[in-house]
Amino acid sequence: MSILNKKKSKGLYIVIFGCGRLGSGIANWLSLKGNSVVVVDRREEAFSSLSFEFTGFTIIGDATELDTLETAKVEKADVVLALTPDDNTNIMTALIAKEYFKVSRVIARVYDPNNIDMFSEFGVEIICPTLLAVKEIQNSLGFAGGDEA
């Protein structure tokens, strides 16, 4: 059972760092599902990507600064998503959330597959768009599983 189903009745408290296409899309969906969502981004204009139905909060701030994480009340978060376009920012934010604030579930986007081991070493779940695209192309070409070559 996923953490999203466990607290479905009262919703989760979720903090998202990065309000680009991925961050805003996830924020809109999580908000629509009844969760309490806080989105943090350095650029105020990034919040224009949020839908009119988004009922969460937005914070303008640097994801690598402790003050920003405290303002977002990361210590109360059920889930933290580090989805900025920068691997270094994502790993730093994820580690602070995991180690300092003791958030049980932290997921980070990793652009460079060479950084996956570093993220995994610290127990951070990762999403790597490059690897997802590779798998999807393999599936589209019919080479999934490696037996067809």
Side-chain angles (χ1 to χ4, degrees):
M1 174 181 287
S2 77
I3 192 167
L4 291 177
N5 290 330
K6 285 181 182 174
K7 292 190 171 183
K8 191 174 182 177
S9 60
K10 65 178 185 176
L12 297 172
Y13 180 67
I14 301 168
V15 181
I16 299 172
F17 292 93
C19 194
R21 286 185 293 259
L22 178 60
S24 63
I26 294 294
N28 289 331
W29 177 74
L30 289 168
S31 176
L32 189 64
K33 294 292 183 185
N35 297 290
S36 298
V37 181
V38 174
V39 182
V40 178
D41 201 289
R42 292 186 312 175
R43 302 168 301 115
E44 184 175 8
E45 63 272 15
F47 301 126
S48 66
S49 302
L50 295 170
S51 73
F52 290 110
E53 292 87 17
F54 177 75
T55 59
F57 294 94
T58 59
I59 297 172
I60 300 168
D62 186 333
T64 62
E65 292 184 4
L66 194 56
D67 287 351
T68 302
L69 279 77
E70 289 173 344
T71 301
K73 298 185 178 171
V74 167
E75 75 277 5
K76 295 181 178 178
D78 297 299
V79 179
V80 167
L81 303 173
L83 304 176
T84 77
D86 179 65
D87 280 3
N88 291 331
T89 300
N90 290 340
I91 187 67
M92 183 175 285
T93 304
L95 288 178
I96 293 170
K98 190 97 182 155
E99 299 297 322
Y100 186 81
F101 291 106
K102 307 295 184 196
V103 177
S104 62
R105 186 132 194 224
V106 178
I107 301 172
R109 174 166 50 181
V110 181
Y111 279 99
D112 185 348
N114 293 322
N115 290 336
I116 289 174
D117 288 343
M118 178 176 57
F119 280 74
S120 298
E121 238 175 67
F122 295 102
V124 174
E125 296 176 57
I126 56 112
I127 300 293
C128 181
T130 303
L131 294 182
L132 292 174
V134 168
K135 283 183 182 177
E136 192 62 33
I137 290 169
Q138 287 173 333
N139 288 339
S140 293
L141 295 175
F143 298 130
D147 296 323
E148 296 85 2

